[in-house]
Amino acid sequence: MKIIVLGGDGFCGWPTSLKLAGAGHQVTIVDNLSRRGIDLALSSGSLTEIASVHDRIAAARQHVGDVCHENTDIAKDHAALRDLIAGVMPDAVIQFAEQRAAPYSMIGDSERRYTVDNNITGTHNLCSALVDIKPDTHLVHLGTMGVYGYSREFGKIPEGYLDIEIKSTRQDTQILYPANPGSIYHMTKCLDQLLFQFYNKNWGLRVTDLHQGIVWGVETDETRLDPRLINRFDYDGVFGTVLNRFISQAVNDVPLTVYGTGGQSRAFIHIADSARCLQLAVENPPEPGERPRIFNQVSEVRSVRNLADMLADQWGAGIRYVTNPRKELPENELEVENAGLQSLGFKPTLLNNRLIEDVRFIADATRKNFNADNVLSSPRW
Ligand SMILES: NC(=O)c1ccc[n+]([C@@H]2O[C@H](COP(=O)([O-])OP(=O)(O)OC[C@H]3O[C@@H](n4cnc5c(N)ncnc54)[C@H](O)[C@@H]3O)[C@@H](O)[C@H]2O)c1
């Protein structure tokens, strides 16, 4: 298949691009490298030293398969995006190219506006270009479990649509699960869902929206093939996801900083599982005419406290409970449906010591890049 991967230089996009190229697909990465720019602006950056995009592509072509890169801003340059789509005529486009950190989106006015402008305009430019140029393309978008909010108010969280009975008519129907974002970033993912519903209803655009859990881990089989292929590893309070943050703290003898009581339950997925799920979604498109297909891309649910206790037991790490910078329920129960991707062949990898040891190994090897001041850098909201 010919696949365009928007945001393919990022934490999820890079290993996914390699996985798809390794499976024999022709991959065009489109990335404006804005994330590398944000690293410099925030003085945060990856613990691993990631190669330039030029070196990454050279190594990928040498060891993995057919990958190239185009430097285009899909939000600001819709004409270039349209030319690209017309040039490649892709079977599928994967949309990772959004500002992806809730804390970043809550820093202040310019970050709020950037997140909305970048995410909504980029995704809308893509939908609009596809229906004109190649309307049968399968659009695969990365959403987040955060669109649902984190409660059991409506029971187990379904895959996008909620079964309801309308009181006045006693009719059973399904509606899009009520959006309940916790940050500007999450709000953009809720708005993306409405774009997909409309483009699907009016033009029949084929969409898979993957509501992904919190991704942890660093490496996949493909990123291990050459040092130039190594993935990024964020550990700071703005872009670092919780388990990777904890592992980097444990390795550097810094107490794990748990927000609030740590009673927040969240859905998690390892980076290798994430890339595998993307492959399954792309290779098994929805039928023409099907409504936007929504899958929960998660492997398991854990509480933040449980993760911290696990690492503390295993490595004797200390734990420090700090005031939660986020506005969120201090404690919650969570149950999530994930049968859709499993029906396509996904076998979730549960948190295990070998995988955690892999991350620990990388964190240990990159200790010199660790800056303890970066870990508690989250803004308050
Ligand atoms: N990392 C996670 O834990 C996680 C969890 C759930 C969902 N997601 C979603 O997955 C997607 C990818 O996340 P990630 O962790 O890889 O983020 P990332 O920041 O590492 O990667 C995003 C990439 O998109 C590029 N990009 C951003 N705006 C662009 C634009 N306008 N034009 C071209 N390129 C642009 C960036 O340069 C970056 O390389 C995001 O949409 C995110 O919301 C991530």
Side-chain angles (χ1 to χ4, degrees):
M1 289 169 98
K2 287 188 280 182
I3 304 168
I4 296 182
V5 182
L6 306 172
D9 185 51
F11 172 54
C12 300
W14 177 242
T16 301
S17 299
L18 294 179
K19 174 123 220 124
L20 294 170
H25 300 296
Q26 181 188 318
V27 175
T28 305
I29 290 176
V30 178
D31 197 304
N32 66 347
L33 311 183
S34 53
R35 187 53 217 289
R36 292 179 186 242
I38 291 176
D39 284 352
L40 295 176
L42 293 185
S43 310
S44 52
S46 169
L47 266 189
T48 49
E49 285 164 26
I50 52 175
S52 69
V53 73
H54 177 268
D55 290 350
R56 275 186 157 186
I57 297 293
R61 293 178 77 84
Q62 185 183 339
H63 297 287
V64 186
D66 188 353
V67 192
C68 64
H69 168 247
E70 295 286 337
N71 188 333
T72 296
D73 185 324
I74 66 156
K76 290 199 176 134
D77 197 347
H78 70 280
L81 175 65
R82 291 175 77 92
D83 287 348
L84 238 150
I85 292 169
V88 175
M89 294 302 270
D91 300 293
V93 179
I94 307 182
Q95 165 53 333
F96 289 104
E98 297 193 7
Q99 189 299 101
R100 72 99 163 135
Y104 185 83
S105 75
M106 299 300 282
I107 291 176
D109 176 61
S110 71
E111 291 81 5
R112 289 194 291 267
R113 286 185 297 103
Y114 167 68
T115 302
V116 170
D117 294 347
N118 187 60
N119 294 5
I120 303 301
T121 307
T123 297
H124 184 253
N125 284 347
L126 172 63
C127 294
S128 182
L130 287 178
V131 296
D132 279 351
I133 301 166
K134 180 112 184 348
D136 64 346
T137 306
H138 177 202
L139 192 172
V140 181
H141 171 258
L142 270 292
T144 158
M145 286 300 297
V147 298
Y148 301 114
Y150 291 104
S151 80
R152 296 202 69 230
E153 196 179 350
F154 303 115
K156 184 175 187 175
I157 293 189
E159 302 205 87
Y161 299 94
L162 185 66
D163 294 321
I164 60 156
E165 184 193 287
I166 300 172
K167 266 189 179 170
S168 57
T169 60
R170 298 211 157 263
Q171 267 179 332
D172 289 328
T173 189
Q174 280 197 323
I175 56 168
L176 199 58
Y177 193 93
N180 187 7
S183 71
I184 293 284
Y185 155 73
H186 290 105
M187 186 191 72
T188 64
K189 298 285 185 185
C190 297
L191 296 172
D192 285 340
Q193 295 192 99
L194 291 183
L195 294 177
F196 300 141
Q197 292 290 327
F198 183 71
Y199 271 81
N200 172 269
K201 183 180 78 170
N202 208 60
W203 287 279
L205 186 63
R206 282 200 291 172
V207 179
T208 299
D209 199 3
L210 298 168
H211 290 183
Q212 183 164 244
I214 299 170
V215 183
W216 70 282
V218 188
E219 296 225 77
T220 64
D221 289 346
E222 292 78 19
T223 64
R224 280 194 199 91
L225 292 173
D226 185 298
R228 292 170 294 168
L229 297 176
I230 197 161
N231 199 13
R232 57 177 305 126
F233 181 178
D234 297 294
Y235 68 98
D236 62 285
V238 175
F239 282 94
T241 51
V242 57
L243 184 52
N244 281 2
R245 216 167 57 219
F246 283 172
I247 294 171
S248 67
Q249 287 178 311
V251 165
N252 288 284
D253 303 321
V254 174
L256 316 182
T257 41
V258 172
Y259 294 165
T261 64
Q264 309 91 325
S265 293
R266 296 289 181 267
F268 291 88
I269 184 166
H270 187 266
I271 186 71
D273 271 9
S274 170
R276 170 78 183 130
C277 286
L278 261 304
Q279 182 187 0
L280 287 170
V282 166
E283 291 176 352
N284 298 280
E287 295 301 320
E290 199 177 320
R291 70 180 178 185
R293 183 175 69 170
I294 301 176
F295 291 144
N296 294 333
Q297 186 163 302
V298 306
S299 295
E300 65 185 313
V301 171
R302 297 266 184 163
S303 77
V304 171
R305 188 167 49 224
N306 170 254
L307 295 178
D309 286 346
M310 215 171 80
L311 300 190
D313 284 349
Q314 208 169 325
W315 300 328
I319 297 182
R320 186 154 71 94
Y321 290 91
V322 299
T323 308
N324 190 349
R326 305 171 176 211
K327 215 173 267 167
E328 62 188 4
L329 286 176
E331 309 257 333
N332 70 290
E333 299 280 319
L334 189 65
E335 211 186 335
V336 178
E337 182 60 75
N338 66 349
L341 282 160
Q342 294 198 54
S343 74
L344 301 182
F346 172 48
K347 296 191 177 51
T349 316
L350 304 185
L351 266 167
N352 67 51
N353 289 342
R354 187 189 64 74
L355 286 176
I356 294 180
E357 279 303 329
D358 274 2
V359 184
R360 184 178 153 88
F361 174 78
I362 299 276
D364 209 11
T366 52
R367 281 174 86 130
K368 66 178 191 321
N369 297 334
F370 181 83
N371 175 356
D373 293 341
N374 275 342
V375 183
L376 280 181
S377 57
S378 175
R380 287 183 191 285
W381 70 87

